[in-house]
Amino acid sequence: MKAIFKRLMGAATGAAALAGSAGAVMAETSGGMSPWQLGLQGSVTEVMDDIHWFNGMTLGIITVITLFVLALLIIVMTRFNSKANPSPSRTSHNTLIEVVWTVAPILILVVIAVPSFRLLYKQIELPEYEMTIKATGYQWYWGYEYTDEALDGISFDSIMLKDDERQDVATARGVSLSEVPRLLAVDYDVVVPVDTTIRVQVTAADVIHAFAMPAFGVKVDAVPGRLNETWFRARETGIYYGQCSELCGKDHAFMPIAVRVVSREQFDAWAEAAKDDVDTANEQLMAAIAAERKTAAATDITVAAR
């Protein structure tokens, strides 16, 4: 009985490890998204960390203000109704109250404004960058070009996968259909190395679009005839999704952005192959990622079984 119990426990532990590994893979590929998610996407950049903090701070301030106003309303309704206060006061003004309700909102706005401006400047001031990618918005897809001389002008268009294409792509990549999300997955992902500062130059060829990547804390307009700049430095590998966030025509909702963050070694191998053929480079990259996942899953199971 002891031996059987031991085996059952080992199997359960292995299954839990496998489930945990699968969950980790899903978390890696979902780009901070999860089913029935509320709130902001998970952060993988320093800028998005600050956005999360600022969002929490303003939510706290708003909650305190709302509760304070609610308390005042309850006090007024209960203490100063006609039954409880048949002889109302004839007071026309109160200097202290008027000073407080003028100064307090000013102080609250200052408390909000200081970190707000700091965050804004952090988003628009480019640090020293290691790579440049040009993103051009079209009706209704994105075009990308790696403009650094070392990358030899790698370029491609990125178009949303239709429903009947997702299964074929999932099979070709060796992943489940859930890892090729509807309305977000594209035929060609932007590939960048992890822990690398990327400058993104954004423009448009026809109408105004907007390049938005929630997990990176990035959102910048793509304007015809104008070159805007933004940046990000992703600290975790995986695939992250964004969308055009400026109404640009009938297919505005169908021009997603997909950025795949990989290790430096994987990126170097991809870039070298992409100089000749982007399709071949993507196939090799997906094979390398699949092999890495299998190795990680096998390692987790082995460790858990011990």
Side-chain angles (χ1 to χ4, degrees):
M1 283 295 290
K2 282 186 179 178
I4 294 173
F5 180 74
K6 220 172 178 184
R7 285 181 185 175
L8 287 173
M9 286 299 293
T13 305
L18 185 59
S21 175
V25 169
M26 191 59 203
E28 178 192 32
T29 57
S30 64
M33 299 182 298
S34 60
W36 299 96
Q37 181 176 1
L38 293 175
L40 303 175
Q41 284 190 21
S43 169
V44 291
T45 67
E46 188 180 333
V47 170
M48 193 58 185
D49 289 343
D50 288 351
I51 292 174
H52 272 273
W53 176 86
F54 185 72
N55 179 69
M57 183 199 73
T58 52
L59 179 61
I61 292 173
I62 291 168
T63 302
V64 170
I65 293 172
T66 302
L67 293 176
F68 177 68
V69 172
L70 176 62
L72 289 180
L73 287 173
I74 293 173
I75 290 170
V76 168
M77 287 187 294
T78 56
R79 186 174 175 183
F80 298 105
N81 60 56
S82 58
K83 256 186 205 176
N85 193 39
S87 301
S89 170
R90 299 291 180 180
T91 304
S92 60
H93 67 277
N94 185 298
T95 304
L96 178 60
I97 291 177
E98 290 174 2
V99 170
V100 169
W101 76 34
T102 301
V103 173
I106 292 173
L107 294 177
I108 292 170
L109 290 175
V110 169
V111 168
I112 293 174
V114 171
S116 174
F117 283 120
R118 174 181 166 274
L119 177 57
L120 179 63
Y121 281 112
K122 190 170 188 176
Q123 288 178 301
I124 63 176
E125 285 188 352
L126 267 68
E128 186 176 347
Y129 52 88
E130 301 160 69
M131 185 184 304
T132 301
I133 297 174
K134 183 179 180 182
T136 304
Y138 299 91
Q139 291 179 305
W140 287 272
Y141 60 95
W142 292 93
Y144 299 101
E145 182 182 354
Y146 292 71
T147 60
D148 297 298
E149 186 177 349
L151 298 176
D152 200 25
I154 298 169
S155 63
F156 50 83
D157 292 333
S158 181
I159 301 172
M160 187 191 77
L161 293 175
K162 297 178 181 177
D163 287 342
D164 57 353
E165 297 172 326
R166 291 171 58 231
Q167 185 59 66
D168 294 336
V169 171
T171 302
R173 294 180 179 178
V175 299
S176 65
L177 187 62
S178 63
E179 294 188 46
V180 187
R182 184 174 181 270
L183 302 182
L184 289 175
V186 297
D187 53 357
Y188 290 95
D189 303 330
V190 179
V191 181
V192 300
V194 70
D195 292 325
T196 303
T197 303
I198 312 292
R199 175 178 68 162
V200 185
Q201 296 181 320
V202 183
T203 188
D206 34 50
V207 299
I208 298 177
H209 301 277
F211 187 89
M213 288 294 298
F216 296 168
V218 165
K219 184 178 179 183
V220 60
D221 283 341
V223 182
R226 179 172 179 175
L227 201 63
N228 289 328
E229 292 184 333
T230 186
W231 68 281
F232 66 87
R233 183 185 180 91
R235 60 174 172 261
E236 296 176 16
T237 59
I239 183 163
Y240 302 92
Y241 295 103
Q243 291 177 305
C244 173
S245 59
E246 184 72 41
L247 188 60
C248 57
K250 70 179 185 67
D251 284 341
H252 159 67
F254 307 108
M255 52 180 299
I257 303 161
V259 178
R260 187 177 293 277
V261 182
V262 299
S263 67
R264 170 57 72 172
E265 294 76 16
Q266 289 173 338
F267 176 79
D268 289 341
W270 175 85
E272 191 60 35
K275 293 175 185 178
D276 299 320
D277 187 346
V278 176
D279 289 316
T280 301
N282 286 341
E283 289 173 8
Q284 293 174 353
L285 177 62
M286 293 308 301
I289 292 173
E292 186 179 66
R293 289 183 184 179
K294 286 181 181 177
T295 302
T299 302
D300 289 345
I301 292 173
T302 303
V303 171
R306 289 176 183 173

Short mmCIF file of all heavy atoms in Angstrom, two decimals, residues 190-212:
data_model
loop_
_atom_site.label_atom_id
_atom_site.label_comp_id
_atom_site.label_asym_id
_atom_site.label_seq_id
_atom_site.Cartn_x
_atom_site.Cartn_y
_atom_site.Cartn_z
N VAL A 190 6.81 41.03 -34.72
CA VAL A 190 8.04 41.81 -34.53
C VAL A 190 8.89 41.05 -33.52
O VAL A 190 8.40 40.70 -32.45
CB VAL A 190 7.73 43.23 -34.00
CG1 VAL A 190 9.01 44.01 -33.79
CG2 VAL A 190 6.81 43.96 -34.97
N VAL A 191 10.13 40.80 -33.85
CA VAL A 191 11.02 40.03 -32.98
C VAL A 191 12.09 40.97 -32.40
O VAL A 191 12.77 41.67 -33.15
CB VAL A 191 11.69 38.87 -33.74
CG1 VAL A 191 12.60 38.07 -32.81
CG2 VAL A 191 10.64 37.96 -34.36
N VAL A 192 12.21 40.97 -31.07
CA VAL A 192 13.20 41.82 -30.41
C VAL A 192 13.87 41.02 -29.30
O VAL A 192 13.29 40.09 -28.74
CB VAL A 192 12.57 43.10 -29.82
CG1 VAL A 192 11.92 43.94 -30.91
CG2 VAL A 192 11.55 42.75 -28.75
N PRO A 193 15.09 41.38 -28.93
CA PRO A 193 15.77 40.69 -27.82
C PRO A 193 15.34 41.23 -26.46
O PRO A 193 14.99 42.40 -26.33
CB PRO A 193 17.25 40.98 -28.10
CG PRO A 193 17.25 42.27 -28.86
CD PRO A 193 15.98 42.31 -29.64
N VAL A 194 15.38 40.37 -25.46
CA VAL A 194 15.01 40.77 -24.11
C VAL A 194 16.09 41.68 -23.52
O VAL A 194 17.25 41.65 -23.94
CB VAL A 194 14.81 39.50 -23.23
CG1 VAL A 194 16.14 38.81 -22.96
CG2 VAL A 194 14.08 39.81 -21.95
N ASP A 195 15.70 42.50 -22.55
CA ASP A 195 16.63 43.41 -21.86
C ASP A 195 17.42 44.28 -22.83
O ASP A 195 18.63 44.48 -22.67
CB ASP A 195 17.59 42.61 -20.97
CG ASP A 195 16.89 41.97 -19.79
OD1 ASP A 195 15.95 42.59 -19.26
OD2 ASP A 195 17.27 40.85 -19.40
N THR A 196 16.74 44.79 -23.83
CA THR A 196 17.36 45.65 -24.84
C THR A 196 16.48 46.88 -25.05
O THR A 196 15.26 46.75 -25.23
CB THR A 196 17.52 44.91 -26.19
OG1 THR A 196 18.28 43.71 -25.97
CG2 THR A 196 18.23 45.77 -27.22
N THR A 197 17.08 48.05 -25.01
CA THR A 197 16.31 49.28 -25.22
C THR A 197 16.05 49.46 -26.71
O THR A 197 16.99 49.58 -27.50
CB THR A 197 17.06 50.49 -24.66
OG1 THR A 197 17.33 50.27 -23.27
CG2 THR A 197 16.23 51.76 -24.81
N ILE A 198 14.78 49.49 -27.08
CA ILE A 198 14.37 49.57 -28.48
C ILE A 198 13.73 50.93 -28.74
O ILE A 198 12.80 51.32 -28.03
CB ILE A 198 13.34 48.47 -28.83
CG1 ILE A 198 13.81 47.10 -28.35
CG2 ILE A 198 13.05 48.48 -30.33
CD1 ILE A 198 15.00 46.55 -29.06
N ARG A 199 14.25 51.64 -29.74
CA ARG A 199 13.57 52.87 -30.19
C ARG A 199 12.59 52.48 -31.30
O ARG A 199 12.94 51.74 -32.22
CB ARG A 199 14.58 53.87 -30.73
CG ARG A 199 13.91 55.11 -31.32
CD ARG A 199 14.90 56.13 -31.82
NE ARG A 199 15.65 55.68 -32.99
CZ ARG A 199 16.31 56.49 -33.81
NH1 ARG A 199 16.33 57.80 -33.60
NH2 ARG A 199 16.98 56.00 -34.84
N VAL A 200 11.36 52.97 -31.19
CA VAL A 200 10.35 52.70 -32.22
C VAL A 200 9.98 54.02 -32.88
O VAL A 200 9.49 54.94 -32.22
CB VAL A 200 9.09 52.04 -31.62
CG1 VAL A 200 8.12 51.66 -32.73
CG2 VAL A 200 9.46 50.80 -30.81
N GLN A 201 10.24 54.12 -34.17
CA GLN A 201 9.82 55.28 -34.96
C GLN A 201 8.49 54.94 -35.61
O GLN A 201 8.35 53.90 -36.26
CB GLN A 201 10.86 55.60 -36.02
CG GLN A 201 12.20 56.03 -35.44
CD GLN A 201 13.22 56.37 -36.51
OE1 GLN A 201 13.32 55.69 -37.52
NE2 GLN A 201 13.99 57.42 -36.29
N VAL A 202 7.51 55.81 -35.42
CA VAL A 202 6.14 55.50 -35.83
C VAL A 202 5.62 56.55 -36.81
O VAL A 202 5.72 57.76 -36.55
CB VAL A 202 5.20 55.43 -34.60
CG1 VAL A 202 3.80 55.04 -35.02
CG2 VAL A 202 5.74 54.43 -33.59
N THR A 203 5.06 56.09 -37.91
CA THR A 203 4.44 56.98 -38.90
C THR A 203 3.29 56.24 -39.57
O THR A 203 2.96 55.11 -39.19
CB THR A 203 5.48 57.44 -39.94
OG1 THR A 203 4.88 58.45 -40.77
CG2 THR A 203 5.96 56.29 -40.81
N ALA A 204 2.65 56.89 -40.53
CA ALA A 204 1.54 56.27 -41.25
C ALA A 204 1.62 56.64 -42.72
O ALA A 204 2.21 57.67 -43.08
CB ALA A 204 0.20 56.71 -40.66
N ALA A 205 1.02 55.80 -43.54
CA ALA A 205 1.08 56.03 -44.99
C ALA A 205 -0.21 56.61 -45.55
O ALA A 205 -0.22 57.08 -46.70
CB ALA A 205 1.38 54.71 -45.70
N ASP A 206 -1.29 56.62 -44.78
CA ASP A 206 -2.57 57.05 -45.35
C ASP A 206 -3.35 57.97 -44.39
O ASP A 206 -3.46 59.15 -44.62
CB ASP A 206 -3.42 55.82 -45.73
CG ASP A 206 -3.21 54.64 -44.80
OD1 ASP A 206 -3.30 54.85 -43.57
OD2 ASP A 206 -2.98 53.52 -45.29
N VAL A 207 -3.86 57.39 -43.28
CA VAL A 207 -4.61 58.18 -42.30
C VAL A 207 -3.91 58.05 -40.95
O VAL A 207 -2.92 57.34 -40.82
CB VAL A 207 -6.07 57.71 -42.21
CG1 VAL A 207 -6.78 57.87 -43.53
CG2 VAL A 207 -6.14 56.25 -41.73
N ILE A 208 -4.44 58.71 -39.93
CA ILE A 208 -3.83 58.64 -38.60
C ILE A 208 -4.16 57.29 -37.95
O ILE A 208 -5.31 56.87 -37.89
CB ILE A 208 -4.33 59.78 -37.70
CG1 ILE A 208 -3.94 61.14 -38.30
CG2 ILE A 208 -3.75 59.65 -36.29
CD1 ILE A 208 -4.46 62.32 -37.51
N HIS A 209 -3.12 56.61 -37.50
CA HIS A 209 -3.24 55.39 -36.70
C HIS A 209 -2.61 55.66 -35.34
O HIS A 209 -2.17 56.78 -35.07
CB HIS A 209 -2.53 54.22 -37.40
CG HIS A 209 -3.05 53.93 -38.77
ND1 HIS A 209 -4.17 53.16 -39.00
CD2 HIS A 209 -2.59 54.30 -40.01
CE1 HIS A 209 -4.39 53.07 -40.31
NE2 HIS A 209 -3.45 53.76 -40.93
N ALA A 210 -2.53 54.65 -34.49
CA ALA A 210 -1.83 54.78 -33.21
C ALA A 210 -1.22 53.44 -32.84
O ALA A 210 -1.89 52.41 -32.89
CB ALA A 210 -2.77 55.28 -32.11
N PHE A 211 0.04 53.47 -32.45
CA PHE A 211 0.79 52.28 -32.07
C PHE A 211 0.70 52.13 -30.56
O PHE A 211 1.26 52.94 -29.82
CB PHE A 211 2.24 52.43 -32.53
CG PHE A 211 3.10 51.21 -32.34
CD1 PHE A 211 3.19 50.25 -33.34
CD2 PHE A 211 3.82 51.02 -31.17
CE1 PHE A 211 4.00 49.13 -33.18
CE2 PHE A 211 4.62 49.90 -31.01
CZ PHE A 211 4.71 48.95 -32.01
N ALA A 212 -0.01 51.10 -30.09
CA ALA A 212 -0.24 50.95 -28.65
C ALA A 212 0.10 49.54 -28.20
O ALA A 212 -0.40 48.57 -28.76
CB ALA A 212 -1.70 51.27 -28.31
#
